[in-house]
């Protein structure tokens, strides 16, 4: 099969063990991001299969209509960036391993790195010493402080383990079903949503972005937080109501925010009011960006390509289009 891999910005996949799974296929790797649909369609004219790198490229009806040879899209996880109905209309099979085993430890590790960075003022202290000014302030220890985790899932539970190793108290908030699972597991669930946001030194978001969870964290939630509290988001920017985070930082409702995700990505405007805010610590959506996590995720993705080529596709999202 002619397989095109999009958005491998640092040409990482060729050097990982998982790439051997594509032996025997005609593979093209694109190392830049191409937002222009016409140029992208021209690049992919001969593709039988397109491999997506998370949500870096949107697959629209317009793009699919320009790709008459395309038969398969292989990716991993959720797919809000893919027009599934258009895939079905165009006879393109979408395969995505949504229920992959195990937590994303890379994302959990970055979450905790951001917690430490915010509480110990690491970016500011680094900038100060490099500028010849030595210390710039006094940070706060984690031991004895309260971490609130919104969303009772695999990544959140790993973050909770890290927090307990640092001597933090962990409490939870989630959907009604998520709270019930947490309580059944012996975890501490906040008495109310207001108590959750109002009593935590750090709140970390660990929800999937779905139509139901979009905007879950409101301006009212953020205004209930301590003016010294830290909000951490390594999940999706859309979990927070549009504009609410910047509003909370401007109003002094938060001591700091540490985020890995933005409404617009890639966000490359240094003058963006959120990105440039003095109370924001930011990373460029690197929660999953480690060699180890790439190898794990793309082993699944390439296995889907091989299963399709062998006439036994797996993890089909729109199976009605597949004709053996």
């Amino acid at each position: 099969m002619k397989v095109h891999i999009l958005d491998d910005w640092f040409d990482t996949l060729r050097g990982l063990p998982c790439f051997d799974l594509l032996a025997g296929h005609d593979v093209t790797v694109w190392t830049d991001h191409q937002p222009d649909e016409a140029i992208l369609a021209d690049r992919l004219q001969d593709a039988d299969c397109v491999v997506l790198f998370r949500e870096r490229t949107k697959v629209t009806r317009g793009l699919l209509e320009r790709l008459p040879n395309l038969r398969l899209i292989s990716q991993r996880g959720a797919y809000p960036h893919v027009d599934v109905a258009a895939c079905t209309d165009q006879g393109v099979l979408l395969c995505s391993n949504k229920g992959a085993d195990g937590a994303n430890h890379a994302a959990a590790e970055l979450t905790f790195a951001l917690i430490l960075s915010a509480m110990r003022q690491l970016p500011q202290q680094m900038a100060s010493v490099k500028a010849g000014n030595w210390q710039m302030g006094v940070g706060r220890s984690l031991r004895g402080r309260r971490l609130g985790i919104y969303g009772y899932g695999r990544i959140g539970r790993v973050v909770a383990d890290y927090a307990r190793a640092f001597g933090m108290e962990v409490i939870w908030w989630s959907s009604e079903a998520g709270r019930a699972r947490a309580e059944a597991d012996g975890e501490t669930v906040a008495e109310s949503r207001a108590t959750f946001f109002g009593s935590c030194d750090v709140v970390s978001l660990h929800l999937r972005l779905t139509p139901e969870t979009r905007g879950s964290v409101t301006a009212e939630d953020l205004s209930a937080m301590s003016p010294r509290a830290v909000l951490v988001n390594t999940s999706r920017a859309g979990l927070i109501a549009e504009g609410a985070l910047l509003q909370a930082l401007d109003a002094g409702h938060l001591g700091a925010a540490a985020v890995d995700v933005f409404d617009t990505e890639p966000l490359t405007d240094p003058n963006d009011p959120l990105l440039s805010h003095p109370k924001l610590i930011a990373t460029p959506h690197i929660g999953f960006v480690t060699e180890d996590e790439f190898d794990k995720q793309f082993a699944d993705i390439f296995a889907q390509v091989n299963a399709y080529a062998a006439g036994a596709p797996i993890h089909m999202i729109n199976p009605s289009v597949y004709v053996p």
Side-chain angles (χ1 to χ4, degrees):
M1 293 177 66
K2 294 181 178 178
V3 178
H4 285 242
I5 301 172
L6 298 182
D7 296 303
D8 184 7
W9 295 338
F10 301 103
D11 203 10
T12 305
L13 297 178
R14 296 179 196 273
L16 299 180
C18 65
F19 201 75
D20 292 341
L21 292 171
L22 294 181
H25 295 290
D26 181 357
V27 181
T28 301
V29 179
W30 297 97
T31 59
D32 62 336
H33 175 69
Q34 179 49 256
D36 187 294
E37 195 169 275
I39 296 175
L40 186 59
D42 185 62
R43 288 182 173 186
L44 302 176
Q45 274 302 297
D46 68 343
D48 300 310
C49 169
V50 168
V51 167
L52 298 182
F53 216 114
R54 296 287 291 237
E55 299 166 28
R56 291 177 176 178
T57 290
K58 291 183 182 296
V59 178
T60 65
R61 182 175 294 274
L63 176 61
L64 290 165
E65 289 174 347
R66 294 171 182 252
L67 301 175
N69 295 319
L70 186 63
R71 297 147 52 198
L72 173 68
I73 295 174
S74 187
Q75 64 132 60
R76 192 175 188 264
Y79 38 86
H81 53 299
V82 179
D83 188 332
V84 179
C87 287
T88 301
D89 291 344
Q90 295 299 121
V92 176
L93 180 65
L94 172 64
C95 291
S96 185
N97 185 359
K98 288 188 63 180
D101 293 335
N104 185 328
H105 287 86
E109 289 170 4
L110 180 69
T111 298
F112 214 77
L114 289 175
I115 292 171
L116 282 165
S117 293
M119 294 293 281
R120 295 301 298 271
Q121 305 172 321
L122 293 184
Q124 300 93 324
Q125 297 284 9
M126 290 175 180
S128 180
V129 73
K130 283 181 173 287
N133 297 322
W134 206 233
Q135 298 176 10
M136 53 67 61
V138 179
R140 290 178 285 164
S141 299
L142 298 185
R143 180 166 294 277
R145 300 195 188 275
R146 175 175 283 186
L147 170 65
I149 301 179
Y150 192 161
Y152 191 66
R154 287 176 293 193
I155 296 176
R157 291 195 292 272
V158 175
V159 172
D161 289 341
Y162 297 162
R164 292 184 180 113
F166 277 78
M168 299 186 80
E169 175 191 3
V170 177
I171 68 168
W172 299 85
W173 192 252
S174 187
S175 64
E176 184 175 350
R179 299 197 301 274
R181 290 196 304 273
E183 288 179 336
D185 289 342
E187 299 285 355
T188 301
V189 175
E191 295 178 359
S192 67
R193 186 183 187 92
T195 299
F196 175 80
F197 282 100
S199 67
C200 292
D201 299 290
V202 181
V203 169
S204 188
L205 308 183
H206 295 285
L207 298 166
R208 288 185 182 275
L209 180 60
T210 66
E212 293 73 29
T213 61
R214 182 172 291 277
S216 291
V217 179
T218 66
E220 182 180 2
D221 293 329
L222 298 180
S223 67
M225 295 179 69
S226 161
R228 301 190 73 204
V230 174
L231 181 79
V232 179
N233 187 7
T234 58
S235 296
R236 291 294 185 271
L239 296 172
I240 304 173
E242 187 175 357
L245 181 56
L246 180 59
Q247 177 185 337
L249 292 172
D250 284 341
H253 293 153
L254 287 172
V259 304
D260 185 47
V261 287
F262 295 87
D263 288 320
T264 300
E265 295 184 0
L267 179 57
T268 56
D269 178 6
N271 297 314
D272 178 87
L274 179 60
L275 182 61
S276 62
H277 200 285
K279 291 184 178 180
L280 185 84
I281 295 171
T283 50
H285 205 153
I286 58 170
F288 71 108
V289 182
T290 69
E291 292 179 355
D292 314 80
E293 188 62 27
F294 282 1
D295 191 55
K296 175 183 175 182
Q297 294 195 14
F298 280 90
D300 287 343
I301 292 170
F302 298 157
Q304 291 169 173
V305 174
N306 287 336
Y308 179 90
I314 56 177
H315 308 136
M316 293 184 286
I317 304 303
N318 55 340
S320 65
V321 307
Y322 180 70
V323 178

